[in-house]
Amino acid sequence: GENVEQHPSTLSVQEGDSAVIKCTYSDSASNYFPWYKQELGKRPQLIIDIRSNVGEKKDQRIAVTLNKTAKHFSLHITETQPEDSAVYFCAASKANSKLTFGKGITLSVRP
Amino acid sequence: DSGVTQTPKHLITATGQRVTLRCSPRSGDLSVYWYQQSLDQGLQFLIQYYNGEERAKGNILERFSAQQFPDLHSELNLSSLELGDSALYFCASSVEGSGGREQYFGPGTRLTVT
């Protein structure tokens, strides 16, 4: 089955800097890659997703890039703010198959 | 607010007991997924239902079972509870049965087994 790994497991950045979180996946048939943000004690929230027919997608300060050849995708957050501090989960799936989540990365933005 | 509702928000019970967690999907969503999240752990997929039928099964214990009713709400039943079952239980819903569509999570039920 699909295996999704996230690197690093924790990330600390200074407010205003950029943060990049990388995920790798194992199944080359996977074609959908969402990112979720989870604040402490709250539900995971979908913040951006990308499908395999595009290489990059942006939404204000966040962007996701996909490299199908290398089987990795990354979340980019620019101009980080303290409210960006959370756990970020990546996931992958192929058609008619469940989402497989990574273990999550804790992002801390230092004011 | 994702549109997915879960009840109860909190549940405290003793070992050996049985509980039922309830989830109502977003209007129009046919799929419901259940996840378990233990302290400092990731999201463990338990089971998926699509339009009343079981679609996929993950790391769900035999003591756990679920179903989806004709009105599309779902219930997760946990029996013979153990201390290690203490966790946040989330359900999520999506429009289709395929994993390639957006999943929206409910607020979760925090289960504490004492």
Side-chain angles (χ1 to χ4, degrees), chain B residues 84-106:
Chain B
D85 297 327
S86 296
L88 261 174
Y89 291 84
F90 289 104
C91 79
S93 73
S94 69
V95 172
E96 295 180 357
S98 164
R101 295 297 301 265
E102 299 87 343
Q103 289 187 25
Y104 294 92
F105 282 76

Side-chain angles (χ1 to χ4, degrees), chain A residues 3-78:
Chain A
N3 182 47
V4 177
E5 295 189 354
Q6 296 189 234
H7 305 279
S9 59
T10 61
L11 180 62
S12 180
V13 299
Q14 191 71 39
E15 182 178 358
D17 288 350
S18 294
V20 181
I21 303 170
K22 182 176 175 178
C23 277
T24 59
Y25 61 99
S26 62
D27 191 339
S28 57
S30 288
N31 60 5
Y32 176 64
F33 308 93
W35 284 91
Y36 286 82
K37 174 184 179 183
Q38 186 180 27
E39 298 175 7
L40 191 62
K42 297 192 176 180
R43 65 184 174 90
Q45 286 186 282
L46 178 67
I47 56 172
I48 196 167
D49 57 12
I50 193 167
R51 300 179 194 276
S52 59
N53 57 345
V54 299
E56 182 176 1
K57 184 177 178 180
K58 286 184 179 179
D59 183 3
Q60 299 182 353
R61 293 188 298 109
I62 61 173
V64 56
T65 57
L66 171 65
N67 183 326
K68 288 187 290 184
T69 303
K71 289 191 283 188
H72 69 70
F73 56 111
S74 299
L75 178 70
H76 304 254
I77 307 174
T78 59

Side-chain angles (χ1 to χ4, degrees), chain B residues 23 73 96:
Chain B
C23 168
H73 91 271
E96 295 180 357

Side-chain angles (χ1 to χ4, degrees), chain A residues 31-32 36 38 41-46 49 51 89 93-99 101-104, chain B residues 1-2 35 37 41-43 45 48 55-56 88 90 98-107 110:
Chain A
N31 60 5
Y32 176 64
Y36 286 82
Q38 186 180 27
K42 297 192 176 180
R43 65 184 174 90
Q45 286 186 282
L46 178 67
D49 57 12
R51 300 179 194 276
F89 292 96
S93 77
K94 56 188 177 184
N96 299 312
S97 183
K98 65 177 180 67
L99 276 177
F101 284 86
K103 292 188 182 302
Chain B
D1 185 0
S2 65
Y35 295 88
Q37 187 175 42
Q41 294 294 309
L43 292 159
F45 169 70
Q48 176 202 355
R55 174 63 67 95
L88 261 174
F90 289 104
S98 164
R101 295 297 301 265
E102 299 87 343
Q103 289 187 25
Y104 294 92
F105 282 76
R110 181 173 296 280

